[in-house]
Amino acid sequence: MNHQPIAIVGAAETELGALPHLSELDLRADAAYRALADAGLEVKDIDGIATAVEPPNDMAHMLGITPSWYDGTSVGGCSFLVHVAHAAAAIRQGKCKNVLVIHGESGRSRVGFRPARQRPPHSMSGQFEVPYGVHTAANMFTLPVMRFMKDTGTTHEHLAHVPVAQSHWSLDNPRASRRRLLSVDDVMASPFIAYPFHKLECCVVTDGGGALVITSADRARDLRRSKNPVYVLGSGEASDSACISMMDDMSSSKAFRLSSRAAFKEAGIKHSDVDHLMIYDAFAHLPLFGLEDLGFVGRGEAGDFIAEGNTRPGGRLPMNTNGGGLLYTHTGMYGMFAIQEAVRQLRGEAFRQVENVRTSVVQGVGGMFTAAATLVLGNQQP
Amino acid sequence: MTAESSTGKALPEPTPITRPYWDALKAHELQLQHCEACGQYTFYPRLRCEHCGKDALKWTPVSGRGTLHSYIINHVAPPGWEQDVPYVVAVVKLEEGPRMLSNLRGVPPDPELLKLDMPLQVAFVPRGDMVLTVFEPLQLKGSQA
Ligand SMILES: [Zn+2]
């Protein structure tokens, strides 16, 4: 197997928040041009493209790219982690040289909005879940948590501590949607969306986009980001049930376990090597599942681990350092923004920079536990 | 609890493989596919057994008994559910093994009363020209009988 090192050499986000003047396609294009500028490349340099929901060919044509490789894997919010992994493999195979991975979504303003994951009435979820009064992530993705809490001894306070811990990272960040310090009481006093989830335990809903430029480490040396390339050290992808009620185990994500195990193995890292962690947090239970399923803590220990401050600034495992989907931004498919924050931390350019970050792990989820993907990124040449 | 409205709420659209499930509900019977090769039950309906891959699935009436595996109390109504909030979306673990999503009836949407692993029994509610499942606490069902 070809283990040619692969690097992320361009990374950028669009403006975030309410962007009613931009359609979803415009957000994707804006993200792509920003990432190209960050890489110091032009459209003509790109020969590979990956994006979810919208066919990659359509996006390529809009930007004026004639790709020799494309990927339209669309598995929800972790699609972009999968794209990075697939792009790395394609570059190693010589299918393409410079790949754009693109996300843009008008999740809040719904301008030119194209739902990421439809559940038509003849689909499995459309037949066996949707008729029972679940129709959004807020009342479907949340369904496993009561089982998780009973089986692990996790409490309502533990759940509330997730946004509280992450508010220490988003505090005063002008790009974050929620930027004030939260207390457990603040979280508990916010209205119920789907018991036991309060509003502040559910992600913000925003417009925005982000894009990445990926190439070989050899070519990275000649580019604008030659001083701080971010290497793709390992990746993994996995899947679970199309219906959340039928996921393998409601108190633990099979897809989290399998994707992270594969990524850690490929990167050759141990948990103690990880300096920085992003766990896709559409809702407050996901970092709890993530810490346990990835093996950073034992069964039933994630709640205390977060409540005790271990994931906050100065803690021993800085996690969701942009504030996460709960506080920073969440367009509907958050994975791109988790990667962007990991890149910023590895470059030393984050709003709340963690000291001495060498290795970062990004854990994504998609389709409400249907899919998961993991990336291990680093700033040292492998 | 309010009657199930035929207007506005999502209706399932059976496919050839799933139609026997929906037809059984119309007859107020819960049926699952049972594999005659490996002895396990499958849900949702499939062409072949998810456990062993054999073409040996047979529609079989099941007990309709299960337990409350997990739930949420929904406060933000989907279209057609405006009169129902707050209501319970329940994950029911059937005695035969598979889990299914449903709603609860005969118990208020109160966390104090919704004990995980409490026994439940299936019942049937019409919606449009379909029939859907709903689950009731088992003791309550018995005391009414
Ligand atoms: Zn079988």
Side-chain angles (χ1 to χ4, degrees):
Chain A
M1 188 178 154
N2 178 350
H3 284 292
Q4 180 188 15
I6 301 296
I8 297 173
V9 293
E13 294 174 357
T14 67
E15 294 303 305
L16 304 172
L19 306 167
H21 58 293
L22 292 172
S23 76
E24 212 156 86
L25 282 177
D26 297 334
L27 286 165
R28 289 178 194 155
D30 186 33
Y33 292 124
R34 287 170 188 254
L36 285 169
D38 186 62
L41 289 172
E42 295 176 42
V43 164
K44 67 174 172 50
D45 300 314
I46 298 299
D47 58 359
I49 187 165
T51 193
V53 185
E54 191 76 18
N57 331 74
D58 296 10
M59 202 65 233
H61 186 264
M62 180 184 229
L63 296 170
I65 292 166
T66 303
S68 57
W69 176 87
Y70 50 77
D71 183 8
T73 301
S74 194
V75 290
C78 64
S79 299
F80 315 102
L81 285 78
V82 177
H83 295 159
V84 170
H86 293 185
I91 293 166
R92 285 178 180 135
Q93 286 183 340
K95 300 279 186 190
C96 51
K97 291 186 167 68
N98 303 313
V99 176
L100 256 176
V101 177
I102 307 171
H103 167 62
E105 193 171 18
S106 185
R108 176 167 170 171
S109 303
R110 307 271 168 139
V111 181
F113 181 71
R114 185 163 166 163
R117 192 178 168 84
Q118 300 194 328
R119 298 173 188 275
H122 53 75
S123 67
M124 288 311 146
S125 185
Q127 289 188 65
F128 300 106
E129 294 188 327
V130 176
Y132 297 98
V134 295
H135 77 313
T136 64
N139 50 43
M140 194 183 275
F141 211 165
T142 49
L143 267 164
V145 83
M146 293 297 285
R147 188 77 245 169
F148 174 84
M149 289 167 75
K150 177 163 183 181
D151 289 359
T152 60
T154 302
T155 66
H156 293 271
E157 286 72 20
H158 283 136
L159 200 59
H161 267 293
V162 174
V164 168
Q166 294 182 195
S167 74
H168 288 261
W169 293 108
S170 68
L171 177 64
D172 295 334
N173 183 342
R175 288 179 61 77
S177 289
R178 291 168 175 160
R179 60 187 81 152
R180 76 181 169 88
L181 215 52
L182 299 176
S183 68
V184 167
D185 285 345
D186 292 333
V187 176
M188 297 284 214
S190 66
F192 279 125
I193 301 294
Y195 173 90
F197 286 84
H198 303 82
K199 185 174 181 181
L200 290 173
E201 290 156 338
C202 304
C203 60
V204 296
V205 181
T206 62
D207 307 325
L212 303 163
V213 180
I214 299 169
T215 191
S216 68
D218 282 349
R219 279 186 294 272
R221 277 190 266 280
D222 303 324
L223 298 179
R224 183 170 165 265
R225 288 293 187 170
S226 61
K227 287 190 177 57
N228 52 8
V230 169
Y231 300 99
V232 181
L233 305 179
S235 62
E237 60 196 84
S239 69
D240 201 332
S241 171
C243 291
I244 194 158
S245 52
M246 299 166 214
M247 64 189 282
D248 195 54
D249 176 350
M250 294 197 88
S251 71
S252 165
S253 164
K254 175 175 78 173
F256 275 20
R257 295 195 308 271
L258 296 179
S259 71
S260 62
R261 195 181 304 162
F264 276 56
K265 185 175 179 213
E266 184 176 86
I269 61 159
K270 308 182 297 292
H271 292 87
S272 57
D273 297 324
V274 178
D275 307 309
H276 172 254
L277 177 63
M278 298 297 290
I279 295 181
Y280 192 122
D281 58 324
F283 297 93
H285 59 324
L286 296 170
L288 299 169
F289 276 71
L291 286 170
E292 297 186 12
D293 288 333
L294 269 63
F296 284 100
V297 300
R299 177 87 162 158
E301 293 175 357
D304 282 345
F305 188 78
I306 290 173
E308 288 164 2
N310 290 300
T311 62
R312 293 185 194 183
R316 64 186 163 105
L317 184 59
M319 181 179 76
N320 294 349
T321 53
N322 56 354
L326 294 175
L327 297 104
Y328 180 71
T329 200
H330 200 304
T331 57
M333 292 187 287
Y334 167 75
M336 172 59 76
F337 302 100
I339 304 170
Q340 294 280 343
E341 173 65 10
V343 169
R344 288 192 293 266
Q345 290 286 353
L346 288 162
R347 286 175 172 177
E349 297 174 348
F351 179 77
R352 290 203 185 279
Q353 181 63 42
V354 177
E355 282 179 35
N356 304 318
V357 179
R358 292 163 57 102
T359 304
S360 174
V361 167
V362 185
Q363 178 66 37
V365 64
M368 306 184 208
F369 284 120
T370 300
T374 314
L375 292 177
V376 180
L377 305 176
N379 55 18
Q380 311 292 312
Q381 171 89 44
Chain B
M1 188 163 175
T2 54
E4 296 287 345
S5 160
S6 62
T7 57
K9 284 180 180 166
L11 277 169
E13 188 180 305
T15 61
I17 291 292
T18 68
R19 190 172 298 282
Y21 173 81
W22 295 109
D23 286 346
L25 290 191
K26 281 183 193 173
H28 286 203
E29 187 168 71
L30 185 63
Q31 291 196 7
L32 297 181
Q33 289 172 305
H34 181 256
C35 179
E36 296 189 320
C38 74
Q40 300 197 68
Y41 287 89
T42 284
F43 186 73
Y44 43 81
R46 289 163 164 86
L47 191 63
R48 288 187 178 210
C49 177
E50 64 174 309
H51 305 288
C52 72
K54 297 261 168 47
D55 184 13
L57 294 175
K58 185 167 182 285
W59 284 101
T60 313
V62 294
S63 66
R65 283 189 300 272
T67 52
L68 183 61
H69 192 69
S70 198
Y71 72 92
I72 55 114
I73 301 173
N74 196 20
H75 288 258
V76 181
W81 290 79
E82 294 81 3
Q83 304 303 313
D84 298 287
V85 284
Y87 60 87
V88 178
V89 179
V91 180
V92 180
K93 184 169 175 54
L94 298 172
E95 206 169 69
E96 291 79 10
R99 282 182 242 125
M100 60 169 53
L101 213 63
S102 192
N103 298 120
L104 294 188
R105 191 170 76 180
V107 55
D110 176 353
E112 290 296 314
L113 303 172
L114 298 169
K115 301 295 183 197
L116 254 52
D117 303 316
M118 66 194 261
L120 303 169
Q121 174 71 42
V122 75
F124 305 92
V125 288
R127 182 180 304 168
D129 60 357
M130 305 284 290
V131 170
L132 274 65
T133 64
V134 65
F135 282 79
E136 301 172 332
L138 191 59
Q139 310 90 315
L140 200 69
K141 172 99 177 172
S143 69
Q144 282 175 339

